[in-house]
Amino acid sequence: MVKILVATKNKGKLKEIQEILGDLPIKLMPLPESASDVEENGSTYLENALIKAKTYGQKYKLITLADDSGLEIDALNGLPGIYSSRYLGKDTPFEEKMKNILELMKNKDNRKARFRCISVLYFPNEDKFVSFEGVVEGEILKEICYGNSGFGYDPIFKPDGFDKSFSELGTEIKNKISHRSKALAQVRDYIENNLLGGEMIEIKINGKRLPANKYVYSVFEKVIYAILSTLKDLPEIETVEIKIEKKEEK
Ligand SMILES: O=P(O)(O)OP(=O)(O)OP(=O)(O)OC[C@H]1O[C@@H](n2cnc3c(O)ncnc32)[C@H](O)[C@@H]1O
Ligand SMILES: [Mg+2]
């Protein structure tokens, strides 16, 4: 089974990634508790996501998924943006960070904001990566609205089209519309098409189905054809069919 290391130290992020990609036939591996911190000193989300993905991917020698994300507030010229984690200090409680933001936003009419997420999938053997972006537009609320879920700045962010904070809306709704879920939808497509084999090959022998995906098929192609050509010549085998199906678009 394909193993993917989820390179985040943020438990809220990890939980969302597990919820969003959990149904894929892959094994998502969290970082060991002992994994050391990395300094996210890049100047873009992509650079920071790559620092995390490469550091842990090379260390643990696994395909690695990392994301760098942030809350961009128009009235604050895009801040905290890529500094979202470090804003007022990395270990400062989020309540304090949010109170500070609400104070700075006190007299601002323009409350437009967005969460942005850049997800990176890194392949240590080839030293290659793919990256995907997701954005959710919304507004900064006038007060902190805690709900039962979410993390970070969720209690002060209201996505467009809803009248509650991300924390109050709950995980199910957040995971359908969030920046992270939009980036991860593309990660999912990439995994399905490139690591799992997007096309299914179906082999029927005497009408009985023997399914295998394109990856299995590509590895065993020659063997399968050799077996099939042998089977074909056996008197008890009536038909041997090979059908390649395109997976339906979601
Ligand atoms: O780097 P890792 O270990 O993944 O965890 P982190 O919390 O440091 O994550 P980032 O470097 O991506 O920093 C993003 C900051 O923005 C916050 N953030 C990211 N996604 C969020 C979300 O979906 N809801 C609320 N806050 C979020 C998060 O709490 C961080 O403070
Ligand atoms: Mg971080």
Side-chain angles (χ1 to χ4, degrees), residues 40 52 85 90:
E40 296 170 49
K52 293 179 259 195
S85 180
K90 192 159 174 39

Side-chain angles (χ1 to χ4, degrees), residues 184-199:
L184 289 177
Q186 300 168 72
V187 171
R188 164 189 290 276
D189 278 353
Y190 184 89
I191 292 174
E192 284 180 342
N193 290 320
N194 296 280
L195 305 184
L196 300 175
E199 291 172 329

